[in-house]
Amino acid sequence: MESKAVGFCAIVAVLGIISAATGFGGEFTRVKASDVTIDDDSCVYPSSPALALGIISAVFAIITQIYISVTFGGCRCCKNDPNLTPISKLFSVLSWVATVIGVIMLLTAAGLNNREGGQVDSYGYFTCYVVKPGIFAAGAVLALLSAVFGIAAYITLAPAPQTTMNPAVALPVGVNVDPEKSPMPFLPQQYPPEQYPPQQYPPQQ
């Protein structure tokens, strides 16, 4: 694998791991029902970093998808690129879908975690609002899958056509070459030396 592909995969993997890690952090630090106390029909919520972690996870998921799109040069499934294979387009679509759903779930969980208040249920008990378990985790998994699908889409690209070049020809010193008219070197034409008849001198007296 060439260095460009290795760099792309490494950056996308790091961004995806950060997004997933903060999403799971939001799941572990979310406000649970056992953490809320009821005082005079009002819910008292403890402080929790789940809101910030959920927003950070969503932001990194968006950054990951933006980086993937910029590397591919825009919308991968819409443009007619000869390097895009059908499997690469499929992974691109899955990456986008995972990003959109994951970001929505992360932001929804972060907002619900910060919601305070309660209501009386059908049994007459006063209950407080808490985010349901698994929403942060599901968003984190989708954010990680978005990065995995983006890497798979890049790896499954068709290799770019390689242009063949004429091999270099070693020329001796003093050879005249015209590369525009003829790719082959030509030697200067040589002529045989001219022959002169012997001169006749009169005899000496």
PDB file of all heavy atoms in Angstrom, residues 22-33 35-36 44-56 109-116 129-131 136:
ATOM      1  N   THR A  22     -15.343   9.111  22.576  1.00  0.00           N
ATOM      2  CA  THR A  22     -16.133  10.133  23.274  1.00  0.00           C
ATOM      3  C   THR A  22     -17.612   9.746  23.336  1.00  0.00           C
ATOM      4  O   THR A  22     -18.306  10.060  24.309  1.00  0.00           O
ATOM      5  CB  THR A  22     -15.979  11.489  22.576  1.00  0.00           C
ATOM      6  OG1 THR A  22     -16.224  11.335  21.156  1.00  0.00           O
ATOM      7  CG2 THR A  22     -14.563  12.031  22.760  1.00  0.00           C
ATOM      8  N   GLY A  23     -18.104   9.049  22.310  1.00  0.00           N
ATOM      9  CA  GLY A  23     -19.487   8.580  22.354  1.00  0.00           C
ATOM     10  C   GLY A  23     -19.709   7.549  23.451  1.00  0.00           C
ATOM     11  O   GLY A  23     -20.696   7.612  24.198  1.00  0.00           O
ATOM     12  N   PHE A  24     -18.784   6.596  23.560  1.00  0.00           N
ATOM     13  CA  PHE A  24     -18.884   5.619  24.650  1.00  0.00           C
ATOM     14  C   PHE A  24     -18.676   6.284  26.012  1.00  0.00           C
ATOM     15  O   PHE A  24     -19.266   5.854  27.017  1.00  0.00           O
ATOM     16  CB  PHE A  24     -17.869   4.500  24.451  1.00  0.00           C
ATOM     17  CG  PHE A  24     -18.275   3.501  23.407  1.00  0.00           C
ATOM     18  CD1 PHE A  24     -17.535   3.354  22.248  1.00  0.00           C
ATOM     19  CD2 PHE A  24     -19.393   2.709  23.581  1.00  0.00           C
ATOM     20  CE1 PHE A  24     -17.910   2.439  21.281  1.00  0.00           C
ATOM     21  CE2 PHE A  24     -19.776   1.781  22.624  1.00  0.00           C
ATOM     22  CZ  PHE A  24     -19.038   1.642  21.464  1.00  0.00           C
ATOM     23  N   GLY A  25     -17.842   7.320  26.047  1.00  0.00           N
ATOM     24  CA  GLY A  25     -17.699   8.068  27.286  1.00  0.00           C
ATOM     25  C   GLY A  25     -19.001   8.721  27.707  1.00  0.00           C
ATOM     26  O   GLY A  25     -19.339   8.765  28.903  1.00  0.00           O
ATOM     27  N   GLY A  26     -19.749   9.230  26.734  1.00  0.00           N
ATOM     28  CA  GLY A  26     -21.064   9.784  27.044  1.00  0.00           C
ATOM     29  C   GLY A  26     -22.023   8.733  27.562  1.00  0.00           C
ATOM     30  O   GLY A  26     -22.852   9.008  28.446  1.00  0.00           O
ATOM     31  N   GLU A  27     -21.905   7.505  27.037  1.00  0.00           N
ATOM     32  CA  GLU A  27     -22.770   6.420  27.520  1.00  0.00           C
ATOM     33  C   GLU A  27     -22.459   6.071  28.973  1.00  0.00           C
ATOM     34  O   GLU A  27     -23.373   5.827  29.779  1.00  0.00           O
ATOM     35  CB  GLU A  27     -22.581   5.196  26.631  1.00  0.00           C
ATOM     36  CG  GLU A  27     -23.373   3.969  27.044  1.00  0.00           C
ATOM     37  CD  GLU A  27     -24.860   4.126  26.887  1.00  0.00           C
ATOM     38  OE1 GLU A  27     -25.304   4.954  26.043  1.00  0.00           O
ATOM     39  OE2 GLU A  27     -25.604   3.424  27.606  1.00  0.00           O
ATOM     40  N   PHE A  28     -21.191   6.039  29.326  1.00  0.00           N
ATOM     41  CA  PHE A  28     -20.814   5.659  30.685  1.00  0.00           C
ATOM     42  C   PHE A  28     -21.085   6.763  31.706  1.00  0.00           C
ATOM     43  O   PHE A  28     -21.289   6.480  32.889  1.00  0.00           O
ATOM     44  CB  PHE A  28     -19.337   5.277  30.725  1.00  0.00           C
ATOM     45  CG  PHE A  28     -19.018   4.031  29.939  1.00  0.00           C
ATOM     46  CD1 PHE A  28     -17.864   3.940  29.176  1.00  0.00           C
ATOM     47  CD2 PHE A  28     -19.889   2.951  29.946  1.00  0.00           C
ATOM     48  CE1 PHE A  28     -17.582   2.800  28.450  1.00  0.00           C
ATOM     49  CE2 PHE A  28     -19.612   1.801  29.222  1.00  0.00           C
ATOM     50  CZ  PHE A  28     -18.458   1.723  28.471  1.00  0.00           C
ATOM     51  N   THR A  29     -21.058   8.017  31.241  1.00  0.00           N
ATOM     52  CA  THR A  29     -21.232   9.130  32.182  1.00  0.00           C
ATOM     53  C   THR A  29     -22.626   9.760  32.113  1.00  0.00           C
ATOM     54  O   THR A  29     -22.844  10.800  32.739  1.00  0.00           O
ATOM     55  CB  THR A  29     -20.180  10.220  31.897  1.00  0.00           C
ATOM     56  OG1 THR A  29     -20.325  10.680  30.537  1.00  0.00           O
ATOM     57  CG2 THR A  29     -18.769   9.673  32.094  1.00  0.00           C
ATOM     58  N   ARG A  30     -23.531   9.171  31.371  1.00  0.00           N
ATOM     59  CA  ARG A  30     -24.880   9.742  31.269  1.00  0.00           C
ATOM     60  C   ARG A  30     -25.575   9.679  32.639  1.00  0.00           C
ATOM     61  O   ARG A  30     -25.233   8.871  33.511  1.00  0.00           O
ATOM     62  CB  ARG A  30     -25.705   8.979  30.232  1.00  0.00           C
ATOM     63  CG  ARG A  30     -25.963   7.549  30.621  1.00  0.00           C
ATOM     64  CD  ARG A  30     -26.757   6.806  29.566  1.00  0.00           C
ATOM     65  NE  ARG A  30     -26.921   5.406  29.945  1.00  0.00           N
ATOM     66  CZ  ARG A  30     -27.875   4.954  30.765  1.00  0.00           C
ATOM     67  NH1 ARG A  30     -28.760   5.811  31.291  1.00  0.00           N
ATOM     68  NH2 ARG A  30     -27.951   3.676  31.062  1.00  0.00           N
ATOM     69  N   VAL A  31     -26.563  10.535  32.785  1.00  0.00           N
ATOM     70  CA  VAL A  31     -27.335  10.565  34.029  1.00  0.00           C
ATOM     71  C   VAL A  31     -28.295   9.382  34.035  1.00  0.00           C
ATOM     72  O   VAL A  31     -29.106   9.223  33.115  1.00  0.00           O
ATOM     73  CB  VAL A  31     -28.090  11.890  34.171  1.00  0.00           C
ATOM     74  CG1 VAL A  31     -28.953  11.879  35.431  1.00  0.00           C
ATOM     75  CG2 VAL A  31     -27.121  13.059  34.213  1.00  0.00           C
ATOM     76  N   LYS A  32     -28.188   8.559  35.037  1.00  0.00           N
ATOM     77  CA  LYS A  32     -29.054   7.387  35.172  1.00  0.00           C
ATOM     78  C   LYS A  32     -30.190   7.703  36.151  1.00  0.00           C
ATOM     79  O   LYS A  32     -30.136   8.673  36.916  1.00  0.00           O
ATOM     80  CB  LYS A  32     -28.243   6.184  35.646  1.00  0.00           C
ATOM     81  CG  LYS A  32     -27.055   5.875  34.742  1.00  0.00           C
ATOM     82  CD  LYS A  32     -26.221   4.776  35.331  1.00  0.00           C
ATOM     83  CE  LYS A  32     -25.005   4.493  34.460  1.00  0.00           C
ATOM     84  NZ  LYS A  32     -24.100   5.676  34.355  1.00  0.00           N
ATOM     85  N   ALA A  33     -31.195   6.859  36.121  1.00  0.00           N
ATOM     86  CA  ALA A  33     -32.347   7.080  37.000  1.00  0.00           C
ATOM     87  C   ALA A  33     -31.951   6.997  38.466  1.00  0.00           C
ATOM     88  O   ALA A  33     -32.511   7.704  39.322  1.00  0.00           O
ATOM     89  CB  ALA A  33     -33.441   6.058  36.681  1.00  0.00           C
ATOM     90  N   ASP A  35     -29.264   8.057  39.678  1.00  0.00           N
ATOM     91  CA  ASP A  35     -28.485   9.241  40.070  1.00  0.00           C
ATOM     92  C   ASP A  35     -29.366  10.441  40.392  1.00  0.00           C
ATOM     93  O   ASP A  35     -28.881  11.440  40.951  1.00  0.00           O
ATOM     94  CB  ASP A  35     -27.511   9.628  38.946  1.00  0.00           C
ATOM     95  CG  ASP A  35     -26.522   8.520  38.632  1.00  0.00           C
ATOM     96  OD1 ASP A  35     -26.195   7.747  39.551  1.00  0.00           O
ATOM     97  OD2 ASP A  35     -26.083   8.435  37.465  1.00  0.00           O
ATOM     98  N   VAL A  36     -30.637  10.388  40.007  1.00  0.00           N
ATOM     99  CA  VAL A  36     -31.545  11.519  40.181  1.00  0.00           C
ATOM    100  C   VAL A  36     -32.290  11.356  41.514  1.00  0.00           C
ATOM    101  O   VAL A  36     -32.791  10.272  41.834  1.00  0.00           O
ATOM    102  CB  VAL A  36     -32.535  11.612  39.013  1.00  0.00           C
ATOM    103  CG1 VAL A  36     -33.445  12.836  39.179  1.00  0.00           C
ATOM    104  CG2 VAL A  36     -31.796  11.675  37.693  1.00  0.00           C
ATOM    105  N   VAL A  44     -33.755  16.442  40.979  1.00  0.00           N
ATOM    106  CA  VAL A  44     -32.451  17.053  41.185  1.00  0.00           C
ATOM    107  C   VAL A  44     -31.429  16.199  40.442  1.00  0.00           C
ATOM    108  O   VAL A  44     -31.231  15.020  40.773  1.00  0.00           O
ATOM    109  CB  VAL A  44     -32.102  17.140  42.686  1.00  0.00           C
ATOM    110  CG1 VAL A  44     -30.721  17.762  42.863  1.00  0.00           C
ATOM    111  CG2 VAL A  44     -33.169  17.927  43.448  1.00  0.00           C
ATOM    112  N   TYR A  45     -30.805  16.792  39.409  1.00  0.00           N
ATOM    113  CA  TYR A  45     -29.875  16.059  38.543  1.00  0.00           C
ATOM    114  C   TYR A  45     -28.431  16.366  38.942  1.00  0.00           C
ATOM    115  O   TYR A  45     -28.094  17.523  39.218  1.00  0.00           O
ATOM    116  CB  TYR A  45     -30.076  16.447  37.074  1.00  0.00           C
ATOM    117  CG  TYR A  45     -31.380  15.963  36.484  1.00  0.00           C
ATOM    118  CD1 TYR A  45     -32.551  16.685  36.658  1.00  0.00           C
ATOM    119  CD2 TYR A  45     -31.421  14.791  35.736  1.00  0.00           C
ATOM    120  CE1 TYR A  45     -33.750  16.254  36.120  1.00  0.00           C
ATOM    121  CE2 TYR A  45     -32.621  14.350  35.179  1.00  0.00           C
ATOM    122  CZ  TYR A  45     -33.774  15.081  35.386  1.00  0.00           C
ATOM    123  OH  TYR A  45     -34.967  14.647  34.841  1.00  0.00           O
ATOM    124  N   PRO A  46     -27.573  15.367  38.938  1.00  0.00           N
ATOM    125  CA  PRO A  46     -26.151  15.630  39.184  1.00  0.00           C
ATOM    126  C   PRO A  46     -25.484  16.154  37.910  1.00  0.00           C
ATOM    127  O   PRO A  46     -26.012  16.016  36.802  1.00  0.00           O
ATOM    128  CB  PRO A  46     -25.603  14.253  39.576  1.00  0.00           C
ATOM    129  CG  PRO A  46     -26.473  13.292  38.832  1.00  0.00           C
ATOM    130  CD  PRO A  46     -27.845  13.920  38.798  1.00  0.00           C
ATOM    131  N   SER A  47     -24.340  16.749  38.085  1.00  0.00           N
ATOM    132  CA  SER A  47     -23.588  17.223  36.914  1.00  0.00           C
ATOM    133  C   SER A  47     -23.005  16.021  36.169  1.00  0.00           C
ATOM    134  O   SER A  47     -22.598  15.023  36.777  1.00  0.00           O
ATOM    135  CB  SER A  47     -22.469  18.163  37.359  1.00  0.00           C
ATOM    136  OG  SER A  47     -21.583  17.498  38.245  1.00  0.00           O
ATOM    137  N   SER A  48     -22.967  16.131  34.843  1.00  0.00           N
ATOM    138  CA  SER A  48     -22.486  15.025  34.031  1.00  0.00           C
ATOM    139  C   SER A  48     -21.807  15.581  32.780  1.00  0.00           C
ATOM    140  O   SER A  48     -22.314  16.529  32.151  1.00  0.00           O
ATOM    141  CB  SER A  48     -23.646  14.106  33.625  1.00  0.00           C
ATOM    142  OG  SER A  48     -23.228  13.154  32.670  1.00  0.00           O
ATOM    143  N   PRO A  49     -20.670  14.995  32.374  1.00  0.00           N
ATOM    144  CA  PRO A  49     -19.999  15.448  31.143  1.00  0.00           C
ATOM    145  C   PRO A  49     -20.564  14.795  29.884  1.00  0.00           C
ATOM    146  O   PRO A  49     -19.988  14.952  28.818  1.00  0.00           O
ATOM    147  CB  PRO A  49     -18.546  15.012  31.379  1.00  0.00           C
ATOM    148  CG  PRO A  49     -18.655  13.781  32.211  1.00  0.00           C
ATOM    149  CD  PRO A  49     -19.852  13.990  33.099  1.00  0.00           C
ATOM    150  N   ALA A  50     -21.663  14.077  30.005  1.00  0.00           N
ATOM    151  CA  ALA A  50     -22.195  13.357  28.844  1.00  0.00           C
ATOM    152  C   ALA A  50     -22.628  14.307  27.725  1.00  0.00           C
ATOM    153  O   ALA A  50     -22.491  13.980  26.537  1.00  0.00           O
ATOM    154  CB  ALA A  50     -23.377  12.481  29.271  1.00  0.00           C
ATOM    155  N   LEU A  51     -23.145  15.474  28.094  1.00  0.00           N
ATOM    156  CA  LEU A  51     -23.556  16.436  27.076  1.00  0.00           C
ATOM    157  C   LEU A  51     -22.369  16.862  26.224  1.00  0.00           C
ATOM    158  O   LEU A  51     -22.432  16.830  24.982  1.00  0.00           O
ATOM    159  CB  LEU A  51     -24.204  17.658  27.738  1.00  0.00           C
ATOM    160  CG  LEU A  51     -24.525  18.839  26.810  1.00  0.00           C
ATOM    161  CD1 LEU A  51     -25.545  18.428  25.764  1.00  0.00           C
ATOM    162  CD2 LEU A  51     -25.000  20.043  27.623  1.00  0.00           C
ATOM    163  N   ALA A  52     -21.260  17.253  26.870  1.00  0.00           N
ATOM    164  CA  ALA A  52     -20.074  17.684  26.127  1.00  0.00           C
ATOM    165  C   ALA A  52     -19.473  16.533  25.326  1.00  0.00           C
ATOM    166  O   ALA A  52     -19.067  16.716  24.172  1.00  0.00           O
ATOM    167  CB  ALA A  52     -19.032  18.255  27.092  1.00  0.00           C
ATOM    168  N   LEU A  53     -19.447  15.345  25.921  1.00  0.00           N
ATOM    169  CA  LEU A  53     -18.877  14.202  25.204  1.00  0.00           C
ATOM    170  C   LEU A  53     -19.713  13.832  23.977  1.00  0.00           C
ATOM    171  O   LEU A  53     -19.168  13.481  22.922  1.00  0.00           O
ATOM    172  CB  LEU A  53     -18.770  13.001  26.151  1.00  0.00           C
ATOM    173  CG  LEU A  53     -17.729  13.122  27.267  1.00  0.00           C
ATOM    174  CD1 LEU A  53     -17.831  11.944  28.226  1.00  0.00           C
ATOM    175  CD2 LEU A  53     -16.329  13.212  26.679  1.00  0.00           C
ATOM    176  N   GLY A  54     -21.011  13.904  24.099  1.00  0.00           N
ATOM    177  CA  GLY A  54     -21.866  13.606  22.947  1.00  0.00           C
ATOM    178  C   GLY A  54     -21.674  14.602  21.815  1.00  0.00           C
ATOM    179  O   GLY A  54     -21.634  14.225  20.639  1.00  0.00           O
ATOM    180  N   ILE A  55     -21.558  15.891  22.167  1.00  0.00           N
ATOM    181  CA  ILE A  55     -21.347  16.901  21.130  1.00  0.00           C
ATOM    182  C   ILE A  55     -19.977  16.728  20.478  1.00  0.00           C
ATOM    183  O   ILE A  55     -19.844  16.823  19.245  1.00  0.00           O
ATOM    184  CB  ILE A  55     -21.496  18.311  21.745  1.00  0.00           C
ATOM    185  CG1 ILE A  55     -22.934  18.536  22.202  1.00  0.00           C
ATOM    186  CG2 ILE A  55     -21.088  19.375  20.728  1.00  0.00           C
ATOM    187  CD1 ILE A  55     -23.153  19.855  22.905  1.00  0.00           C
ATOM    188  N   ILE A  56     -18.945  16.452  21.277  1.00  0.00           N
ATOM    189  CA  ILE A  56     -17.604  16.236  20.709  1.00  0.00           C
ATOM    190  C   ILE A  56     -17.599  15.028  19.781  1.00  0.00           C
ATOM    191  O   ILE A  56     -16.995  15.055  18.708  1.00  0.00           O
ATOM    192  CB  ILE A  56     -16.583  16.065  21.853  1.00  0.00           C
ATOM    193  CG1 ILE A  56     -16.417  17.376  22.616  1.00  0.00           C
ATOM    194  CG2 ILE A  56     -15.232  15.610  21.300  1.00  0.00           C
ATOM    195  CD1 ILE A  56     -15.547  17.251  23.860  1.00  0.00           C
ATOM    196  N   ALA A 109     -29.094  12.112  22.135  1.00  0.00           N
ATOM    197  CA  ALA A 109     -28.760  11.622  23.471  1.00  0.00           C
ATOM    198  C   ALA A 109     -28.184  12.728  24.342  1.00  0.00           C
ATOM    199  O   ALA A 109     -28.498  12.822  25.541  1.00  0.00           O
ATOM    200  CB  ALA A 109     -27.763  10.465  23.356  1.00  0.00           C
ATOM    201  N   ALA A 110     -27.339  13.581  23.739  1.00  0.00           N
ATOM    202  CA  ALA A 110     -26.772  14.681  24.514  1.00  0.00           C
ATOM    203  C   ALA A 110     -27.852  15.654  24.972  1.00  0.00           C
ATOM    204  O   ALA A 110     -27.827  16.149  26.116  1.00  0.00           O
ATOM    205  CB  ALA A 110     -25.726  15.414  23.674  1.00  0.00           C
ATOM    206  N   GLY A 111     -28.816  15.938  24.100  1.00  0.00           N
ATOM    207  CA  GLY A 111     -29.896  16.838  24.487  1.00  0.00           C
ATOM    208  C   GLY A 111     -30.809  16.244  25.543  1.00  0.00           C
ATOM    209  O   GLY A 111     -31.207  16.924  26.496  1.00  0.00           O
ATOM    210  N   LEU A 112     -31.132  14.946  25.399  1.00  0.00           N
ATOM    211  CA  LEU A 112     -31.991  14.313  26.394  1.00  0.00           C
ATOM    212  C   LEU A 112     -31.304  14.176  27.743  1.00  0.00           C
ATOM    213  O   LEU A 112     -31.953  14.223  28.796  1.00  0.00           O
ATOM    214  CB  LEU A 112     -32.422  12.928  25.901  1.00  0.00           C
ATOM    215  CG  LEU A 112     -33.378  12.908  24.704  1.00  0.00           C
ATOM    216  CD1 LEU A 112     -33.638  11.467  24.265  1.00  0.00           C
ATOM    217  CD2 LEU A 112     -34.689  13.608  25.033  1.00  0.00           C
ATOM    218  N   ASN A 113     -29.983  14.004  27.712  1.00  0.00           N
ATOM    219  CA  ASN A 113     -29.263  13.885  28.973  1.00  0.00           C
ATOM    220  C   ASN A 113     -29.297  15.192  29.763  1.00  0.00           C
ATOM    221  O   ASN A 113     -29.232  15.174  30.999  1.00  0.00           O
ATOM    222  CB  ASN A 113     -27.810  13.480  28.702  1.00  0.00           C
ATOM    223  CG  ASN A 113     -27.029  13.222  29.965  1.00  0.00           C
ATOM    224  OD1 ASN A 113     -27.106  12.151  30.562  1.00  0.00           O
ATOM    225  ND2 ASN A 113     -26.254  14.213  30.400  1.00  0.00           N
ATOM    226  N   ASN A 114     -29.419  16.303  29.047  1.00  0.00           N
ATOM    227  CA  ASN A 114     -29.440  17.607  29.700  1.00  0.00           C
ATOM    228  C   ASN A 114     -30.855  18.072  30.024  1.00  0.00           C
ATOM    229  O   ASN A 114     -31.041  19.161  30.547  1.00  0.00           O
ATOM    230  CB  ASN A 114     -28.749  18.637  28.805  1.00  0.00           C
ATOM    231  CG  ASN A 114     -28.247  19.836  29.584  1.00  0.00           C
ATOM    232  OD1 ASN A 114     -27.703  19.682  30.673  1.00  0.00           O
ATOM    233  ND2 ASN A 114     -28.427  21.032  29.027  1.00  0.00           N
ATOM    234  N   ARG A 115     -31.812  17.252  29.695  1.00  0.00           N
ATOM    235  CA  ARG A 115     -33.210  17.625  29.960  1.00  0.00           C
ATOM    236  C   ARG A 115     -33.552  17.334  31.419  1.00  0.00           C
ATOM    237  O   ARG A 115     -33.276  16.253  31.929  1.00  0.00           O
ATOM    238  CB  ARG A 115     -34.146  16.836  29.040  1.00  0.00           C
ATOM    239  CG  ARG A 115     -35.616  17.160  29.222  1.00  0.00           C
ATOM    240  CD  ARG A 115     -36.463  16.262  28.345  1.00  0.00           C
ATOM    241  NE  ARG A 115     -37.892  16.546  28.512  1.00  0.00           N
ATOM    242  CZ  ARG A 115     -38.859  15.834  27.935  1.00  0.00           C
ATOM    243  NH1 ARG A 115     -38.547  14.808  27.157  1.00  0.00           N
ATOM    244  NH2 ARG A 115     -40.126  16.141  28.137  1.00  0.00           N
ATOM    245  N   GLU A 116     -34.166  18.285  32.052  1.00  0.00           N
ATOM    246  CA  GLU A 116     -34.548  18.138  33.457  1.00  0.00           C
ATOM    247  C   GLU A 116     -36.058  18.264  33.589  1.00  0.00           C
ATOM    248  O   GLU A 116     -36.713  18.975  32.842  1.00  0.00           O
ATOM    249  CB  GLU A 116     -33.848  19.185  34.330  1.00  0.00           C
ATOM    250  CG  GLU A 116     -32.325  19.059  34.331  1.00  0.00           C
ATOM    251  CD  GLU A 116     -31.675  20.066  35.241  1.00  0.00           C
ATOM    252  OE1 GLU A 116     -32.423  20.894  35.815  1.00  0.00           O
ATOM    253  OE2 GLU A 116     -30.446  20.036  35.388  1.00  0.00           O
ATOM    254  N   TYR A 129     -37.054  12.564  33.962  1.00  0.00           N
ATOM    255  CA  TYR A 129     -36.577  12.294  32.615  1.00  0.00           C
ATOM    256  C   TYR A 129     -35.089  11.929  32.644  1.00  0.00           C
ATOM    257  O   TYR A 129     -34.273  12.644  33.211  1.00  0.00           O
ATOM    258  CB  TYR A 129     -36.765  13.513  31.704  1.00  0.00           C
ATOM    259  CG  TYR A 129     -38.206  13.928  31.513  1.00  0.00           C
ATOM    260  CD1 TYR A 129     -38.614  15.226  31.800  1.00  0.00           C
ATOM    261  CD2 TYR A 129     -39.150  13.024  31.045  1.00  0.00           C
ATOM    262  CE1 TYR A 129     -39.927  15.612  31.619  1.00  0.00           C
ATOM    263  CE2 TYR A 129     -40.475  13.401  30.871  1.00  0.00           C
ATOM    264  CZ  TYR A 129     -40.861  14.689  31.163  1.00  0.00           C
ATOM    265  OH  TYR A 129     -42.168  15.072  30.994  1.00  0.00           O
ATOM    266  N   VAL A 130     -34.751  10.816  32.029  1.00  0.00           N
ATOM    267  CA  VAL A 130     -33.350  10.423  31.826  1.00  0.00           C
ATOM    268  C   VAL A 130     -33.239   9.820  30.433  1.00  0.00           C
ATOM    269  O   VAL A 130     -34.211   9.279  29.889  1.00  0.00           O
ATOM    270  CB  VAL A 130     -32.857   9.406  32.886  1.00  0.00           C
ATOM    271  CG1 VAL A 130     -32.762  10.047  34.264  1.00  0.00           C
ATOM    272  CG2 VAL A 130     -33.757   8.180  32.921  1.00  0.00           C
ATOM    273  N   VAL A 131     -32.057   9.922  29.859  1.00  0.00           N
ATOM    274  CA  VAL A 131     -31.833   9.357  28.537  1.00  0.00           C
ATOM    275  C   VAL A 131     -31.782   7.840  28.654  1.00  0.00           C
ATOM    276  O   VAL A 131     -31.232   7.280  29.612  1.00  0.00           O
ATOM    277  CB  VAL A 131     -30.523   9.915  27.928  1.00  0.00           C
ATOM    278  CG1 VAL A 131     -29.324   9.568  28.788  1.00  0.00           C
ATOM    279  CG2 VAL A 131     -30.335   9.394  26.508  1.00  0.00           C
ATOM    280  N   PHE A 136     -26.226   6.643  23.292  1.00  0.00           N
ATOM    281  CA  PHE A 136     -24.852   7.106  23.099  1.00  0.00           C
ATOM    282  C   PHE A 136     -23.995   6.010  22.448  1.00  0.00           C
ATOM    283  O   PHE A 136     -23.214   6.278  21.532  1.00  0.00           O
ATOM    284  CB  PHE A 136     -24.235   7.510  24.442  1.00  0.00           C
ATOM    285  CG  PHE A 136     -24.551   8.904  24.880  1.00  0.00           C
ATOM    286  CD1 PHE A 136     -25.421   9.122  25.928  1.00  0.00           C
ATOM    287  CD2 PHE A 136     -23.982  10.003  24.258  1.00  0.00           C
ATOM    288  CE1 PHE A 136     -25.712  10.407  26.362  1.00  0.00           C
ATOM    289  CE2 PHE A 136     -24.259  11.283  24.672  1.00  0.00           C
ATOM    290  CZ  PHE A 136     -25.136  11.488  25.731  1.00  0.00           C
TER     291      PHE A 136
END
